[in-house]
Amino acid sequence: MKTVAVLGGGPAGAFAAERLARAGLKAIVFDEKLAWEKPCGGGLTYKAYHEYPFLIDNDTPKRLVNETSLSAPRAGAVRMELAHPLVIYSRMDLNRMLLARAEKAGAFIEKTRVLGLDRKERGWRLRTQSGIADADFCIIATGARNPLRHVGTEWSATDTMSALGYYVPASQAGIDIQFLPQLEGYIWVFPRCGHLSVGICGKGESAQSLRARLEAYMSERGISWRGSAFYSHMLPSLETSGWKKNRVSGEGWLAVGDAAGLVDPITGEGLYYAMRSGDIASQVVIDDAHGLIEKASAYRTLLAREFAGDLEYAASLAKRVFLGRFMFNSVPTRMIQFMRRSPIFHELMQDLFAVTQPYLGLKGRLLRYLIGTLQEVLTNFFLNRVIPGNSRASL
Ligand SMILES: Cc1cc2nc3c(=O)[nH]c(=O)nc-3n(C[C@H](O)[C@H](O)[C@H](O)COP(=O)(O)OP(=O)(O)OC[C@H]3O[C@@H](n4cnc5c(N)ncnc54)[C@H](O)[C@@H]3O)c2cc1C
């Protein structure tokens, strides 16, 4: 393996290039924009910076946010202290930092658009806006709007959601999350350095309708969008069927990040999976023990084992989380009510936010917690009845 072309220099591509260059390979990143304000909340979870501490230990501007408010119709809001802060970057800053790290490790960075790639007898020929480039191997990191049709995830309408919002010149201390009636998605308000990222994501609903919902929410909260920059983008959100046929690798190429559909179908978190898949892909490329076909299947296996299996399972839960009903009310409404009433449910939500609770173990933990919560509620009810004026009566 001599030259690895990394197509796309977002978090997935930049991180893969850094790893490849550190291992002594010639890695060339091709990106048409390089550091840019990609439409994104920019939130990095504890799981991400726990695994890659440089994501929190650096001089790049960022906000560390320790509190969240979650709201749902007919349940009001509940505040939650985060067990670990969410680190929020502007994407311009995050991309710039990751590209600088790649360059420092020895990767070559070229600002150009890749127009196509053709298989040669050995390796690849890339057609770019600035000419032709040859490579032995390709990492596809062109994001959710990957224009290269024969590599990476093949999108169907049901495997994506719309995400849009405004960068509002205002500030606040905590994050707001709002669930809405009949929406497989949610609204977020993320405080960033110097502005708020206020956005909405939703599946099966037009961008126009999502924008109307978001603007109604902003009006209600007194957040003005006039004069604020608008953003919109596609967010991968694979259904279970999408995960089963997901095209993440082939002979001589591996797809990473959004180009491989690697986004949490419930939260829309993609930054961690972009970097982690970039890391795993680079390890597979570096490993001399594998031939090209074996590399493709080794990567698929490693992804499934690390997190793709969990995300596939999450896809089977997503509709129930947002649109399901539990005890005559919507699941988000019940979730807020449980958080308010039960410290153990509250703790579970903190772990989900930090992504330290995999979806695959959620059912068992929920069952245990429901039993515990029921005990808590009954105990409080009993104390309230038997000892009137008991301080826990507020529950
Ligand atoms: C509105 C919104 C909010 C989000 N909020 C969050 C969040 O808060 N936290 C989180 O974890 N995730 C969030 N995500 C998801 C996150 O943005 C993505 O998962 C992440 O950007 C994926 O990184 P990537 O490197 O795979 O792709 P991208 O960041 O999309 O990078 C792809 C790169 O490829 C380049 N490119 C594309 N085509 C070509 C071409 N032909 N030639 C050359 N270059 C090309 C682009 O210029 C771009 O730089 C959000 C997504 C959206 C849409």
Side-chain angles (χ1 to χ4, degrees), residues 25-37:
L25 273 75
K26 182 176 178 187
I28 313 175
V29 177
F30 299 90
D31 193 296
E32 58 183 333
K33 297 184 192 143
L34 294 179
W36 65 295
E37 195 53 65

Side-chain angles (χ1 to χ4, degrees), residues 7-14 30-34 36 38-45 86 91 95 112-115 141-148 162-165 188 190 197 200-201 231-236 256-259 262-263 267-272 274:
L7 285 57
F30 299 90
D31 193 296
E32 58 183 333
K33 297 184 192 143
L34 294 179
W36 65 295
K38 193 244 158 186
C40 186
L44 277 169
T45 57
L86 194 76
R91 281 297 304 272
N95 283 23
T112 189
R113 180 170 174 79
V114 178
L115 304 171
T142 35
R145 288 183 181 153
N146 172 23
L148 308 163
S162 296
L164 53 91
W188 68 87
F190 276 13
S197 169
I200 185 168
C201 59
Y231 60 83
S232 80
H233 210 275
M234 176 181 139
L235 190 56
V256 293
D258 279 15
L262 302 175
V263 171
T267 62
E269 179 192 8
L271 289 169
Y272 167 73

Side-chain angles (χ1 to χ4, degrees), residues 249-292:
S249 56
E251 194 177 334
W253 64 270
L254 306 176
V256 293
D258 279 15
L262 302 175
V263 171
D264 183 323
I266 296 180
T267 62
E269 179 192 8
L271 289 169
Y272 167 73
Y273 302 108
M275 283 185 271
R276 188 70 196 129
S277 59
D279 194 353
I280 296 171
S282 63
Q283 288 167 30
V284 170
V285 173
I286 292 160
D287 190 345
D288 274 338
H290 295 121
L292 290 186

